[in-house]
Amino acid sequence: MKTITYLILLLFCYLPLLSKAQKIDKQTLMEDIRYLSSDQLEGRATNTEGNKLAAAHIIERFEALKLTSQYPMYTQSFALEGDDESLDEGSNLIGFIPGTESSKIILLMAHYDHLGKKGDKIYNGADDNASGTAALLNMAAYFMENRPLHSILFAVTDAEEMGLVGAKALLQDFPFPLKQIKLVVNMDMISRSENNTLYAVGTTFYPQFIPYLEKVGKRSPIQLVLGNDGEKGQLDWTNASDHGPFHKKGIPFIYFGVDDHEDYHQPSDLFENIHQPFFLEACELILNSILEIDASIE
């Protein structure tokens, strides 16, 4: 009897810890963001060797996970406009996991390009946006082991820094009817915050997602703030990243991001300057939000 009582007490003590077990593998997450923001990739500017190395890393991960795709070698190529003939083509990278119960789609996005080199200075772009790309790769790994009810299309976009060009190309050549998209989730700059705050933008336009976000936010050690979508006294990030073109078509979105910081678009946006505990918790919060929405929407 004493043994049974002891086991019950032990289970009671450890149950809260078990319920808060991490879904994202921290080591892999940090390895991904470290590599993607390394000097070797020289800032990942579109159609440079560093950008192509980043693309190769993403494709390798998609292949290892055995994601399917609607594009050969996971690559949706698109033309770039401009006078510089060396910038003639960009590459979105597309992976897909079919839903177990629905063909409706959650589109999960993050851009992998950044500003490249200016002179001898490398703009590594750890937070912007190696962070979102690393998060997407590790969420894909989770969903391959824990299949979603709705289909998820993982889009790692190129040429965001050139004016959301990759996102616009994806919208124009989306591999399914646009009406199948139930939600766009965009991650752009999610790895550091001086005040432990992550923003979820879009609920002014799409309030149906507020209950799910609030539920997940209450369970997170970081603060989730709904806003920055142009309400009075707020910043307006409605079209600030790759979710913008989809929103203009009336497709619901949630954009997760942090405030601009002193290293934004600077050579000092380095892996060493991200906030690792915050980054991990931000990834967990976003993943839990997707899970909550996946389980709740039709």
Side-chain angles (χ1 to χ4, degrees), residues 4-18:
I4 294 174
T5 303
Y6 174 76
L7 290 172
I8 292 172
L9 287 171
L10 193 64
L11 180 61
F12 180 80
C13 291
Y14 277 91
L15 193 57
L17 297 177
L18 291 172

Side-chain angles (χ1 to χ4, degrees), residues 2 15 139 189 206 260 270 276 278 282:
K2 288 182 179 180
L15 193 57
M139 290 178 192
M189 297 175 57
Y206 309 106
D260 288 353
L270 301 167
Q276 293 191 28
F278 175 85

